[in-house]
Amino acid sequence: MDPAHPGDRLSTVPDGPASAGPEASTTPAGPEAWPPASRWPEVLHRAVRAVAAVTQGCRTPLVGLSGGADSLALAVATAEAVRTRANPALVGGAGAVVVDHGLQAGSAAVAERAAAIARRLGLDPVVIERVHVTATGAGPEAEARQARHAALVVAAQRLDSGPVLLAHTRDDQAEQVLLGLARGSGTRSLAGIPRRRGLILRPLLDLTRQDTEAICHWAGVRWWQDPANADPAYLRSRLRTRVLPALEDPVTGLGPGLSAALARSADIAAEDADALEQWASREYSRLVRYRPGEHASGAGNHLGIAVGRGANLSLPLEELAELPDAIRYRVIGTAAVSAGGERPSRERVLAVDRLIAGRAGGGTSAGPVQLPGGVVSRRRRTGGYATLDFDAGEVLESPADAPVPPAPSR
């Protein structure tokens, strides 16, 4: 008998003791029997294939589990991928990490119930990480995400496990693309949620929220409804509950299928962003010159280039000017980070770029231009050879006081 199709009896969400009482109605529950005797729904076939594909060559992946429908569906799919040996690399099993942010009353109970479900599914090890969300000014959603991702990575390292699987779906991807459009972001931001980044893998980006709920129904698992997901105080919640439904309204909106179209656009933007960044990486490596004795060793940056943090560096002005705008802007940003600064905004990148554009014009400013993180850029000419320099450890009195070169005449 095919282990994915052990029988024909339908499994339903339990309505016995696990569902009784006010606390149970707000926490995850189930399954009463595992694995269900019913055949896999079509969406579970897709989910299991996706998990098997992203975990090729991996050992003991960990599911990032919240108790919501998406992450529980991912836990189910991962457990079934292990049980049916959909990927031989998973012979050692898979585990789960539940992160409790402690931001809501009852969060500890939700975390314990979610962990119990993971163990019931056969995942091992299963751990709960309790984190403190620090206010950084980035906003509550971003701050919680930063704390969560840090806890997931620490847990994976402590358990000596493989990658961490997160359950973002196509709906999440559509919301992310809309957020990028609303902020006037570039190609990388419009690429949305990456399918992989470091230890983090996202196998369910081609499934919908409706798909994950269908998987939970099949498994006999009841999920937790995070009240923040419907709170209009949060921008993403407004997108999810108001903006996207209005845009997909067949009469007053753009019609059904918008979420899928936005997700396709994210895939295309990701391909373009990867190509542009690889091109910029090659150009930066070709052009950069570190001044003698000032090249500090350091880690790579977002382009995968080995850079020296806190180094003073130069780029040849004429060769830099010949690059297409999109590549030149990326090279400027990489140089700023390589010199020990932070990723500059578009406004700051364009301010530096005006130093390049004004290289042949009389009376144009040669800088300096203040960049975030204590780096300044200026145009220099030595013996007839012009460079764009990035110097670490300089802070002007105020970024507003830094000479901003005028825009070149067209």
Side-chain angles (χ1 to χ4, degrees):
M1 179 183 295
D2 183 347
H5 307 132
D8 295 317
R9 181 176 63 82
L10 294 178
S11 175
T12 59
V13 177
D15 56 3
S19 300
E23 182 190 10
S25 68
T26 58
T27 54
E32 287 189 343
W34 184 257
S38 58
R39 296 173 65 88
W40 284 4
E42 186 273 336
V43 291
L44 182 54
H45 280 279
R46 288 193 281 130
V48 169
R49 284 197 299 268
V51 169
V54 302
T55 54
Q56 290 294 330
C58 300
R59 58 183 175 81
T60 321
L62 298 175
V63 176
L65 193 56
S66 68
D70 297 343
S71 66
L72 285 172
L74 178 57
V76 169
T78 303
E80 286 295 78
V82 171
R83 185 178 70 85
T84 61
R85 298 188 179 181
N87 176 4
L90 296 179
V91 66
V97 180
V98 186
V99 178
D100 176 15
H101 302 87
L103 297 176
Q104 298 170 342
S107 66
V110 171
E112 293 290 349
R113 291 286 187 92
I117 292 173
R119 296 186 185 100
R120 184 78 174 91
L121 297 175
L123 299 181
D124 181 58
V126 177
V127 297
I128 298 175
E129 298 289 321
R130 306 196 189 278
V131 300
H132 174 71
V133 178
T134 303
T136 62
E141 293 173 285
E143 291 159 357
R145 182 171 60 251
Q146 291 165 0
R148 178 169 63 252
H149 281 205
L152 291 170
V153 170
V154 168
Q157 293 171 341
R158 187 179 70 248
L159 296 171
D160 193 25
S161 71
V164 176
L165 309 182
L166 298 186
H168 295 92
T169 66
R170 193 175 74 188
D171 301 88
D172 297 307
Q173 187 70 291
E175 294 161 9
Q176 190 67 26
V177 174
L178 275 180
L179 283 171
L181 287 169
R183 292 166 178 159
S185 302
T187 311
R188 175 52 67 193
S189 182
L190 297 182
I193 304 168
R195 292 181 181 269
R196 63 173 60 228
R197 177 176 288 166
L199 280 176
I200 304 296
L201 306 179
R202 297 179 174 89
L204 301 189
L205 281 175
D206 293 321
L207 272 66
T208 67
R209 202 160 287 135
Q210 186 176 9
D211 292 336
T212 61
E213 292 179 1
I215 291 172
C216 288
H217 281 301
W218 171 83
V221 170
R222 186 183 62 226
W223 60 90
W224 173 59
Q225 295 278 12
D226 185 350
N229 288 339
D231 187 345
Y234 298 109
L235 177 57
R236 187 177 291 274
S237 298
R238 296 199 297 276
L239 273 177
R240 179 175 300 166
T241 61
R242 299 180 183 180
V243 177
L244 268 172
L247 289 173
E248 293 198 308
D249 188 282
V251 177
T252 61
L254 300 175
L258 178 64
S259 291
L262 289 169
R264 285 196 301 273
S265 295
D267 286 339
I268 295 168
E271 294 164 1
D272 291 348
D274 288 345
L276 289 168
E277 289 173 4
Q278 289 167 15
W279 183 358
S281 171
R282 291 192 298 270
E283 294 295 343
Y284 177 82
S285 297
R286 179 178 68 87
L287 296 175
V288 67
R289 296 292 180 270
Y290 294 96
R291 298 184 210 139
E294 295 178 340
H295 182 190
S297 61
N301 67 0
H302 83 297
L303 298 182
I305 309 165
V307 298
R309 299 284 298 190
N312 293 341
L313 56 93
S314 300
L315 299 168
L317 208 62
E318 293 301 328
E319 292 182 73
L320 195 58
E322 292 173 358
L323 297 177
D325 291 352
I327 304 304
R328 190 171 64 253
Y329 297 161
R330 284 169 168 80
V331 170
I332 290 171
T334 298
V337 174
S338 299
E342 302 168 8
R343 178 63 46 183
S345 67
R346 180 174 175 83
E347 182 271 334
R348 291 285 86 193
V349 168
L350 291 178
V352 173
D353 193 61
R354 287 197 287 272
L355 298 176
I356 303 170
R359 67 194 184 282
T364 60
S365 172
V369 173
Q370 179 76 64
L371 298 173
V375 170
V376 298
S377 179
R378 52 173 60 85
R379 189 176 71 230
R380 283 196 177 103
R381 184 175 296 273
T382 305
Y385 184 72
T387 58
L388 183 68
D389 292 358
F390 293 81
D391 298 310
E394 288 192 48
V395 179
L396 305 177
E397 291 185 12
S398 164
D401 298 331
V404 178
S409 57
R410 297 293 184 188

